[in-house]
Amino acid sequence: MTKRKNVLVVDDDPVFKLIARKLFERSGDFFEVTFAENGLEAIELLRAMIDEKLKSIPDIILLDIEMPIMNGWGFMEEFVKLPEEATQDISVYTVSSSIAQEDKNRTASYPQIKAYITKPLTVDIIRSIAGIP
């Protein structure tokens, strides 16, 4: 039996969030998905989870780059400041419609980011990053 994965999707696009929700549902009963509108909301949510020692700390974060208030890079600047013992098992994936090489290069500068995924998201991608056959 595969352990359920807690996933945090950080994206301001309502269409992407709707599609992501449907894709996770189609991927099987393996995911508990939470959504955040921007990097600030996501980092505040993570801090609260860590402070309260919640078991729902994400296993996977799908992070958009371009968002209002705090973009994906601002989120990563704050993420690396969180206690390593609380974040070491979180796999971050940037998910963006950008094909800019500079974004891909910047992704590589964060060891916490496992991969750069170009939208659209698919069931196969979701199952692959979660390690589900």
Side-chain angles (χ1 to χ4, degrees):
M1 179 81 179
T2 303
K3 174 189 172 284
R4 284 179 62 94
K5 304 276 185 181
N6 289 313
V7 180
L8 175 58
V9 177
V10 187
D11 200 304
D12 63 315
D13 181 356
V15 173
F16 176 79
K17 291 189 291 189
L18 177 65
I19 291 169
R21 184 181 308 279
K22 295 292 184 191
L23 290 172
F24 278 105
E25 288 171 3
R26 286 189 199 149
S27 297
D29 192 29
F30 303 109
F31 303 100
E32 185 67 40
V33 183
T34 304
F35 291 89
E37 289 287 316
N38 57 65
L40 182 60
E41 183 180 321
I43 206 72
E44 288 175 348
L45 182 62
L46 276 176
R47 285 180 184 140
M49 290 173 168
I50 291 167
D51 289 347
E52 296 172 22
K53 297 180 177 27
L54 298 179
K55 292 180 182 172
S56 60
I57 290 176
D59 300 296
I60 299 168
I61 296 175
L62 299 181
L63 179 65
D64 188 24
I65 294 172
E66 295 300 321
M67 296 175 286
I69 302 174
M70 179 187 283
N71 66 18
W73 304 126
F75 170 86
M76 287 307 300
E77 288 172 16
E78 295 302 314
F79 182 83
V80 299
K81 296 176 187 175
L82 296 173
E84 187 176 348
E85 64 275 4
T87 62
Q88 64 189 358
D89 295 329
I90 300 174
S91 297
V92 179
Y93 296 86
T94 53
V95 182
S96 179
S97 55
S98 169
I99 57 170
Q101 190 60 45
E102 64 194 46
D103 286 337
K104 293 177 183 179
N105 292 345
R106 194 164 180 190
T107 292
S109 73
Y110 288 96
Q112 301 85 352
I113 299 177
K114 304 300 182 207
Y116 184 96
I117 299 168
T118 304
K119 291 177 182 178
L121 196 59
T122 66
V123 169
D124 289 341
I125 291 170
I126 288 171
R127 292 178 71 87
S128 173
I129 64 177
I132 298 169

PDB file of all heavy atoms in Angstrom, residues 75-101:
ATOM      1  N   PHE A  75       9.295  32.840  -2.401  1.00  0.00           N
ATOM      2  CA  PHE A  75       8.952  31.697  -1.562  1.00  0.00           C
ATOM      3  C   PHE A  75      10.200  30.878  -1.240  1.00  0.00           C
ATOM      4  O   PHE A  75      10.441  30.517  -0.090  1.00  0.00           O
ATOM      5  CB  PHE A  75       7.912  30.805  -2.263  1.00  0.00           C
ATOM      6  CG  PHE A  75       7.685  29.494  -1.559  1.00  0.00           C
ATOM      7  CD1 PHE A  75       6.772  29.392  -0.526  1.00  0.00           C
ATOM      8  CD2 PHE A  75       8.404  28.357  -1.928  1.00  0.00           C
ATOM      9  CE1 PHE A  75       6.576  28.186   0.140  1.00  0.00           C
ATOM     10  CE2 PHE A  75       8.215  27.152  -1.272  1.00  0.00           C
ATOM     11  CZ  PHE A  75       7.298  27.062  -0.236  1.00  0.00           C
ATOM     12  N   MET A  76      11.013  30.601  -2.255  1.00  0.00           N
ATOM     13  CA  MET A  76      12.208  29.787  -2.028  1.00  0.00           C
ATOM     14  C   MET A  76      13.195  30.489  -1.106  1.00  0.00           C
ATOM     15  O   MET A  76      13.843  29.830  -0.278  1.00  0.00           O
ATOM     16  CB  MET A  76      12.878  29.411  -3.357  1.00  0.00           C
ATOM     17  CG  MET A  76      12.127  28.366  -4.152  1.00  0.00           C
ATOM     18  SD  MET A  76      11.730  26.841  -3.228  1.00  0.00           S
ATOM     19  CE  MET A  76      13.371  26.248  -2.763  1.00  0.00           C
ATOM     20  N   GLU A  77      13.304  31.813  -1.200  1.00  0.00           N
ATOM     21  CA  GLU A  77      14.188  32.559  -0.301  1.00  0.00           C
ATOM     22  C   GLU A  77      13.763  32.371   1.158  1.00  0.00           C
ATOM     23  O   GLU A  77      14.603  32.261   2.048  1.00  0.00           O
ATOM     24  CB  GLU A  77      14.200  34.041  -0.670  1.00  0.00           C
ATOM     25  CG  GLU A  77      14.934  34.331  -1.961  1.00  0.00           C
ATOM     26  CD  GLU A  77      14.775  35.764  -2.431  1.00  0.00           C
ATOM     27  OE1 GLU A  77      14.362  36.632  -1.634  1.00  0.00           O
ATOM     28  OE2 GLU A  77      15.051  36.008  -3.623  1.00  0.00           O
ATOM     29  N   GLU A  78      12.462  32.316   1.396  1.00  0.00           N
ATOM     30  CA  GLU A  78      11.946  32.094   2.751  1.00  0.00           C
ATOM     31  C   GLU A  78      11.987  30.607   3.132  1.00  0.00           C
ATOM     32  O   GLU A  78      12.248  30.267   4.283  1.00  0.00           O
ATOM     33  CB  GLU A  78      10.524  32.635   2.873  1.00  0.00           C
ATOM     34  CG  GLU A  78      10.439  34.139   2.728  1.00  0.00           C
ATOM     35  CD  GLU A  78      11.301  34.885   3.745  1.00  0.00           C
ATOM     36  OE1 GLU A  78      11.265  34.527   4.947  1.00  0.00           O
ATOM     37  OE2 GLU A  78      12.041  35.803   3.335  1.00  0.00           O
ATOM     38  N   PHE A  79      11.734  29.741   2.176  1.00  0.00           N
ATOM     39  CA  PHE A  79      11.723  28.291   2.424  1.00  0.00           C
ATOM     40  C   PHE A  79      13.068  27.817   2.973  1.00  0.00           C
ATOM     41  O   PHE A  79      13.119  27.026   3.914  1.00  0.00           O
ATOM     42  CB  PHE A  79      11.380  27.547   1.130  1.00  0.00           C
ATOM     43  CG  PHE A  79      11.288  26.057   1.284  1.00  0.00           C
ATOM     44  CD1 PHE A  79      10.119  25.463   1.740  1.00  0.00           C
ATOM     45  CD2 PHE A  79      12.363  25.240   0.954  1.00  0.00           C
ATOM     46  CE1 PHE A  79      10.027  24.083   1.878  1.00  0.00           C
ATOM     47  CE2 PHE A  79      12.285  23.865   1.091  1.00  0.00           C
ATOM     48  CZ  PHE A  79      11.116  23.285   1.554  1.00  0.00           C
ATOM     49  N   VAL A  80      14.161  28.317   2.400  1.00  0.00           N
ATOM     50  CA  VAL A  80      15.487  27.865   2.842  1.00  0.00           C
ATOM     51  C   VAL A  80      15.811  28.336   4.260  1.00  0.00           C
ATOM     52  O   VAL A  80      16.729  27.805   4.891  1.00  0.00           O
ATOM     53  CB  VAL A  80      16.608  28.280   1.862  1.00  0.00           C
ATOM     54  CG1 VAL A  80      16.379  27.655   0.488  1.00  0.00           C
ATOM     55  CG2 VAL A  80      16.754  29.782   1.759  1.00  0.00           C
ATOM     56  N   LYS A  81      15.061  29.293   4.781  1.00  0.00           N
ATOM     57  CA  LYS A  81      15.257  29.770   6.152  1.00  0.00           C
ATOM     58  C   LYS A  81      14.514  28.929   7.181  1.00  0.00           C
ATOM     59  O   LYS A  81      14.764  29.055   8.377  1.00  0.00           O
ATOM     60  CB  LYS A  81      14.788  31.226   6.272  1.00  0.00           C
ATOM     61  CG  LYS A  81      15.583  32.205   5.431  1.00  0.00           C
ATOM     62  CD  LYS A  81      14.970  33.590   5.544  1.00  0.00           C
ATOM     63  CE  LYS A  81      15.605  34.586   4.591  1.00  0.00           C
ATOM     64  NZ  LYS A  81      14.916  35.888   4.626  1.00  0.00           N
ATOM     65  N   LEU A  82      13.592  28.086   6.719  1.00  0.00           N
ATOM     66  CA  LEU A  82      12.836  27.231   7.640  1.00  0.00           C
ATOM     67  C   LEU A  82      13.762  26.161   8.221  1.00  0.00           C
ATOM     68  O   LEU A  82      14.770  25.809   7.607  1.00  0.00           O
ATOM     69  CB  LEU A  82      11.663  26.573   6.904  1.00  0.00           C
ATOM     70  CG  LEU A  82      10.584  27.518   6.377  1.00  0.00           C
ATOM     71  CD1 LEU A  82       9.584  26.750   5.516  1.00  0.00           C
ATOM     72  CD2 LEU A  82       9.874  28.219   7.526  1.00  0.00           C
ATOM     73  N   PRO A  83      13.419  25.628   9.405  1.00  0.00           N
ATOM     74  CA  PRO A  83      14.273  24.604  10.013  1.00  0.00           C
ATOM     75  C   PRO A  83      14.442  23.395   9.079  1.00  0.00           C
ATOM     76  O   PRO A  83      13.458  22.825   8.608  1.00  0.00           O
ATOM     77  CB  PRO A  83      13.513  24.201  11.282  1.00  0.00           C
ATOM     78  CG  PRO A  83      12.526  25.283  11.526  1.00  0.00           C
ATOM     79  CD  PRO A  83      12.240  25.926  10.211  1.00  0.00           C
ATOM     80  N   GLU A  84      15.700  23.034   8.829  1.00  0.00           N
ATOM     81  CA  GLU A  84      15.986  21.955   7.887  1.00  0.00           C
ATOM     82  C   GLU A  84      15.353  20.634   8.309  1.00  0.00           C
ATOM     83  O   GLU A  84      14.884  19.868   7.475  1.00  0.00           O
ATOM     84  CB  GLU A  84      17.492  21.773   7.716  1.00  0.00           C
ATOM     85  CG  GLU A  84      17.832  20.774   6.630  1.00  0.00           C
ATOM     86  CD  GLU A  84      19.316  20.651   6.384  1.00  0.00           C
ATOM     87  OE1 GLU A  84      20.097  21.479   6.875  1.00  0.00           O
ATOM     88  OE2 GLU A  84      19.688  19.692   5.687  1.00  0.00           O
ATOM     89  N   GLU A  85      15.306  20.381   9.615  1.00  0.00           N
ATOM     90  CA  GLU A  85      14.714  19.114  10.072  1.00  0.00           C
ATOM     91  C   GLU A  85      13.224  19.025   9.732  1.00  0.00           C
ATOM     92  O   GLU A  85      12.665  17.947   9.608  1.00  0.00           O
ATOM     93  CB  GLU A  85      14.938  18.883  11.571  1.00  0.00           C
ATOM     94  CG  GLU A  85      14.278  19.898  12.498  1.00  0.00           C
ATOM     95  CD  GLU A  85      15.105  21.161  12.746  1.00  0.00           C
ATOM     96  OE1 GLU A  85      16.184  21.339  12.156  1.00  0.00           O
ATOM     97  OE2 GLU A  85      14.638  21.985  13.548  1.00  0.00           O
ATOM     98  N   ALA A  86      12.588  20.170   9.525  1.00  0.00           N
ATOM     99  CA  ALA A  86      11.168  20.182   9.170  1.00  0.00           C
ATOM    100  C   ALA A  86      10.951  20.129   7.662  1.00  0.00           C
ATOM    101  O   ALA A  86       9.890  19.716   7.204  1.00  0.00           O
ATOM    102  CB  ALA A  86      10.490  21.426   9.741  1.00  0.00           C
ATOM    103  N   THR A  87      11.957  20.550   6.891  1.00  0.00           N
ATOM    104  CA  THR A  87      11.761  20.657   5.442  1.00  0.00           C
ATOM    105  C   THR A  87      12.578  19.662   4.630  1.00  0.00           C
ATOM    106  O   THR A  87      12.381  19.548   3.424  1.00  0.00           O
ATOM    107  CB  THR A  87      12.127  22.074   4.951  1.00  0.00           C
ATOM    108  OG1 THR A  87      13.511  22.325   5.219  1.00  0.00           O
ATOM    109  CG2 THR A  87      11.254  23.121   5.604  1.00  0.00           C
ATOM    110  N   GLN A  88      13.471  18.931   5.265  1.00  0.00           N
ATOM    111  CA  GLN A  88      14.403  18.080   4.513  1.00  0.00           C
ATOM    112  C   GLN A  88      13.719  17.006   3.670  1.00  0.00           C
ATOM    113  O   GLN A  88      14.276  16.561   2.668  1.00  0.00           O
ATOM    114  CB  GLN A  88      15.421  17.434   5.450  1.00  0.00           C
ATOM    115  CG  GLN A  88      14.819  16.480   6.458  1.00  0.00           C
ATOM    116  CD  GLN A  88      15.837  16.043   7.505  1.00  0.00           C
ATOM    117  OE1 GLN A  88      16.995  16.440   7.444  1.00  0.00           O
ATOM    118  NE2 GLN A  88      15.401  15.231   8.448  1.00  0.00           N
ATOM    119  N   ASP A  89      12.520  16.596   4.040  1.00  0.00           N
ATOM    120  CA  ASP A  89      11.822  15.555   3.282  1.00  0.00           C
ATOM    121  C   ASP A  89      10.803  16.112   2.294  1.00  0.00           C
ATOM    122  O   ASP A  89      10.051  15.356   1.683  1.00  0.00           O
ATOM    123  CB  ASP A  89      11.129  14.579   4.239  1.00  0.00           C
ATOM    124  CG  ASP A  89      12.143  13.814   5.083  1.00  0.00           C
ATOM    125  OD1 ASP A  89      13.270  13.563   4.601  1.00  0.00           O
ATOM    126  OD2 ASP A  89      11.814  13.460   6.232  1.00  0.00           O
ATOM    127  N   ILE A  90      10.767  17.431   2.138  1.00  0.00           N
ATOM    128  CA  ILE A  90       9.841  18.053   1.189  1.00  0.00           C
ATOM    129  C   ILE A  90      10.513  18.141  -0.179  1.00  0.00           C
ATOM    130  O   ILE A  90      11.621  18.667  -0.295  1.00  0.00           O
ATOM    131  CB  ILE A  90       9.417  19.463   1.649  1.00  0.00           C
ATOM    132  CG1 ILE A  90       8.724  19.414   3.005  1.00  0.00           C
ATOM    133  CG2 ILE A  90       8.518  20.119   0.595  1.00  0.00           C
ATOM    134  CD1 ILE A  90       8.402  20.788   3.600  1.00  0.00           C
ATOM    135  N   SER A  91       9.842  17.636  -1.191  1.00  0.00           N
ATOM    136  CA  SER A  91      10.323  17.741  -2.568  1.00  0.00           C
ATOM    137  C   SER A  91       9.591  18.892  -3.243  1.00  0.00           C
ATOM    138  O   SER A  91       8.366  18.877  -3.341  1.00  0.00           O
ATOM    139  CB  SER A  91      10.046  16.445  -3.335  1.00  0.00           C
ATOM    140  OG  SER A  91      10.764  15.375  -2.759  1.00  0.00           O
ATOM    141  N   VAL A  92      10.352  19.886  -3.676  1.00  0.00           N
ATOM    142  CA  VAL A  92       9.777  21.053  -4.347  1.00  0.00           C
ATOM    143  C   VAL A  92       9.985  20.899  -5.856  1.00  0.00           C
ATOM    144  O   VAL A  92      11.073  20.536  -6.302  1.00  0.00           O
ATOM    145  CB  VAL A  92      10.435  22.365  -3.864  1.00  0.00           C
ATOM    146  CG1 VAL A  92       9.833  23.572  -4.584  1.00  0.00           C
ATOM    147  CG2 VAL A  92      10.308  22.516  -2.347  1.00  0.00           C
ATOM    148  N   TYR A  93       8.928  21.174  -6.603  1.00  0.00           N
ATOM    149  CA  TYR A  93       8.986  21.168  -8.061  1.00  0.00           C
ATOM    150  C   TYR A  93       8.442  22.498  -8.549  1.00  0.00           C
ATOM    151  O   TYR A  93       7.335  22.883  -8.165  1.00  0.00           O
ATOM    152  CB  TYR A  93       8.128  20.044  -8.651  1.00  0.00           C
ATOM    153  CG  TYR A  93       8.616  18.678  -8.273  1.00  0.00           C
ATOM    154  CD1 TYR A  93       8.215  18.078  -7.087  1.00  0.00           C
ATOM    155  CD2 TYR A  93       9.488  17.982  -9.104  1.00  0.00           C
ATOM    156  CE1 TYR A  93       8.673  16.822  -6.735  1.00  0.00           C
ATOM    157  CE2 TYR A  93       9.948  16.720  -8.763  1.00  0.00           C
ATOM    158  CZ  TYR A  93       9.538  16.146  -7.571  1.00  0.00           C
ATOM    159  OH  TYR A  93       9.993  14.896  -7.222  1.00  0.00           O
ATOM    160  N   THR A  94       9.210  23.207  -9.370  1.00  0.00           N
ATOM    161  CA  THR A  94       8.658  24.397  -9.982  1.00  0.00           C
ATOM    162  C   THR A  94       7.803  23.949 -11.159  1.00  0.00           C
ATOM    163  O   THR A  94       8.186  23.049 -11.910  1.00  0.00           O
ATOM    164  CB  THR A  94       9.745  25.385 -10.455  1.00  0.00           C
ATOM    165  OG1 THR A  94      10.671  24.709 -11.287  1.00  0.00           O
ATOM    166  CG2 THR A  94      10.460  26.025  -9.288  1.00  0.00           C
ATOM    167  N   VAL A  95       6.620  24.526 -11.250  1.00  0.00           N
ATOM    168  CA  VAL A  95       5.687  24.214 -12.334  1.00  0.00           C
ATOM    169  C   VAL A  95       5.322  25.540 -12.966  1.00  0.00           C
ATOM    170  O   VAL A  95       4.688  26.377 -12.337  1.00  0.00           O
ATOM    171  CB  VAL A  95       4.424  23.498 -11.801  1.00  0.00           C
ATOM    172  CG1 VAL A  95       3.502  23.137 -12.949  1.00  0.00           C
ATOM    173  CG2 VAL A  95       4.802  22.259 -11.001  1.00  0.00           C
ATOM    174  N   SER A  96       5.749  25.727 -14.219  1.00  0.00           N
ATOM    175  CA  SER A  96       5.575  27.035 -14.830  1.00  0.00           C
ATOM    176  C   SER A  96       5.304  26.911 -16.318  1.00  0.00           C
ATOM    177  O   SER A  96       5.684  25.933 -16.953  1.00  0.00           O
ATOM    178  CB  SER A  96       6.840  27.868 -14.610  1.00  0.00           C
ATOM    179  OG  SER A  96       6.710  29.137 -15.204  1.00  0.00           O
ATOM    180  N   SER A  97       4.644  27.914 -16.855  1.00  0.00           N
ATOM    181  CA  SER A  97       4.441  27.965 -18.297  1.00  0.00           C
ATOM    182  C   SER A  97       5.636  28.643 -18.970  1.00  0.00           C
ATOM    183  O   SER A  97       5.739  28.655 -20.192  1.00  0.00           O
ATOM    184  CB  SER A  97       3.146  28.707 -18.636  1.00  0.00           C
ATOM    185  OG  SER A  97       3.165  29.981 -18.039  1.00  0.00           O
ATOM    186  N   SER A  98       6.555  29.179 -18.182  1.00  0.00           N
ATOM    187  CA  SER A  98       7.744  29.831 -18.715  1.00  0.00           C
ATOM    188  C   SER A  98       8.701  28.793 -19.296  1.00  0.00           C
ATOM    189  O   SER A  98       8.912  27.738 -18.705  1.00  0.00           O
ATOM    190  CB  SER A  98       8.472  30.603 -17.606  1.00  0.00           C
ATOM    191  OG  SER A  98       9.741  31.022 -18.035  1.00  0.00           O
ATOM    192  N   ILE A  99       9.264  29.121 -20.440  1.00  0.00           N
ATOM    193  CA  ILE A  99      10.294  28.255 -21.012  1.00  0.00           C
ATOM    194  C   ILE A  99      11.647  28.966 -20.987  1.00  0.00           C
ATOM    195  O   ILE A  99      12.593  28.547 -21.642  1.00  0.00           O
ATOM    196  CB  ILE A  99       9.931  27.809 -22.449  1.00  0.00           C
ATOM    197  CG1 ILE A  99       9.718  29.020 -23.347  1.00  0.00           C
ATOM    198  CG2 ILE A  99       8.741  26.878 -22.451  1.00  0.00           C
ATOM    199  CD1 ILE A  99       9.601  28.681 -24.819  1.00  0.00           C
ATOM    200  N   ALA A 100      11.729  30.046 -20.211  1.00  0.00           N
ATOM    201  CA  ALA A 100      12.947  30.845 -20.125  1.00  0.00           C
ATOM    202  C   ALA A 100      14.083  30.039 -19.496  1.00  0.00           C
ATOM    203  O   ALA A 100      13.916  29.463 -18.420  1.00  0.00           O
ATOM    204  CB  ALA A 100      12.696  32.110 -19.318  1.00  0.00           C
ATOM    205  N   GLN A 101      15.219  30.017 -20.155  1.00  0.00           N
ATOM    206  CA  GLN A 101      16.376  29.292 -19.645  1.00  0.00           C
ATOM    207  C   GLN A 101      16.832  29.843 -18.297  1.00  0.00           C
ATOM    208  O   GLN A 101      17.278  29.102 -17.427  1.00  0.00           O
ATOM    209  CB  GLN A 101      17.529  29.326 -20.660  1.00  0.00           C
ATOM    210  CG  GLN A 101      18.679  28.398 -20.303  1.00  0.00           C
ATOM    211  CD  GLN A 101      18.269  26.937 -20.209  1.00  0.00           C
ATOM    212  OE1 GLN A 101      17.551  26.431 -21.068  1.00  0.00           O
ATOM    213  NE2 GLN A 101      18.702  26.256 -19.164  1.00  0.00           N
TER     214      GLN A 101
END
